[in-house]
Amino acid sequence: MSHPLDRAVWNALTTRLSGFVTEDSDVRAVRIDPDVGIFVSGEDAEPETLKAMADLARRHPGAGMVELTGGPTGALDLPGVEVVNRVPLVQMVCTALTPGGPDLAYETLTEADAPEMLALATLTKPGPFRSATRRLGPFIGVKQDGRLLAMAGRRLRVEGFTELSGVCTHPDHRGLGYAAGLSRAVTGEILASGEGVFLHAFAEHDATIAFYRSLGFEVRARMTYTILK
């Protein structure tokens, strides 16, 4: 049997995050609400599934796929949909945090923080982040004089695992331990609930991978992020 994280997008959007898919999604292909995220996924790589995915991608532009590299759905071509790029990712998993790290003063972000969250993610590019991605949270953040300096939160949820995502810090405030502190806080809460934690990082970002290793994450698999036009 495959691991639930091998097809984290499909498994999340057809179970714990099924309430976030578009109304025209079905049992064969799903597309997350474009205001929430970029994901489109299918049950398998059969022609009927690829057509259904292509239809969703055309009706809801800005879609992307994250699939297991080398797996049957790892580098799909959807009929009539142009591939802009294929980006290698690593999928990392944590089952126990490393010791260390001072407590960090943070707060849970709310709807009122939505504009600043989107602006910070747009500036720092931690990965796809849309106007309503915050709904997948909760997200937490560090503020100074009411201004959001850094944040981190949750995204995909599958059986036994929740994804750490949206970790970013304003360039003027890096090097102060915000990313580490927020990542530790989110990861610790998830682990305390009895689940494992996973994340996706760009495979060529050695410093990012080393940072997450320092927190207790290890590379589990190679993934492919396909960006569709």
Side-chain angles (χ1 to χ4, degrees), residues 2-163:
S2 64
H3 193 283
L5 292 180
D6 286 350
R7 305 210 61 217
V9 172
W10 172 257
N11 289 331
L13 295 185
T14 55
T15 57
R16 298 174 68 185
L17 297 186
S18 60
F20 290 96
V21 302
T22 58
E23 291 184 356
D24 53 352
S25 297
D26 57 32
V27 295
R28 186 176 287 276
V30 291
R31 169 71 161 99
I32 197 169
D33 180 339
D35 290 334
V36 175
I38 55 95
F39 298 122
V40 64
S41 190
E43 181 180 27
D44 48 41
E46 295 299 319
E48 296 85 355
T49 301
L50 300 184
K51 181 182 182 304
M53 292 172 64
D55 290 342
L56 288 173
R58 283 192 291 269
R59 286 196 294 269
H60 307 285
M65 301 179 289
V66 175
E67 298 285 353
L68 183 68
T69 302
T73 57
L76 297 178
D77 289 311
L78 305 184
V81 180
E82 181 181 345
V83 172
V84 176
N85 197 10
R86 297 195 198 274
V87 182
L89 306 176
V90 291
Q91 184 185 82
M92 305 184 74
V93 173
C94 178
T95 56
L97 281 166
T98 56
D103 291 336
L104 180 69
Y106 62 85
E107 60 186 83
T108 300
L109 302 179
T110 69
E111 178 74 19
D113 299 302
E116 276 200 281
M117 294 172 70
L118 181 60
L120 181 61
T122 301
L123 174 66
T124 58
K125 297 178 173 56
F129 196 96
R130 299 293 182 261
S131 62
T133 300
R134 67 187 182 281
R135 292 169 51 202
L136 298 174
F139 279 78
I140 59 175
V142 174
K143 292 183 180 180
Q144 184 180 78
D145 299 324
R147 181 188 176 202
L148 183 63
L149 306 184
M151 68 177 182
R154 298 159 171 83
R155 187 171 61 175
L156 296 176
R157 292 170 170 84
V158 302
E159 180 182 356
F161 293 89
T162 293
E163 183 184 25

Side-chain angles (χ1 to χ4, degrees), residues 187-200:
T187 300
E189 288 180 1
I190 297 170
L191 292 175
S193 75
E195 294 191 336
V197 187
F198 73 107
L199 60 83
H200 294 102

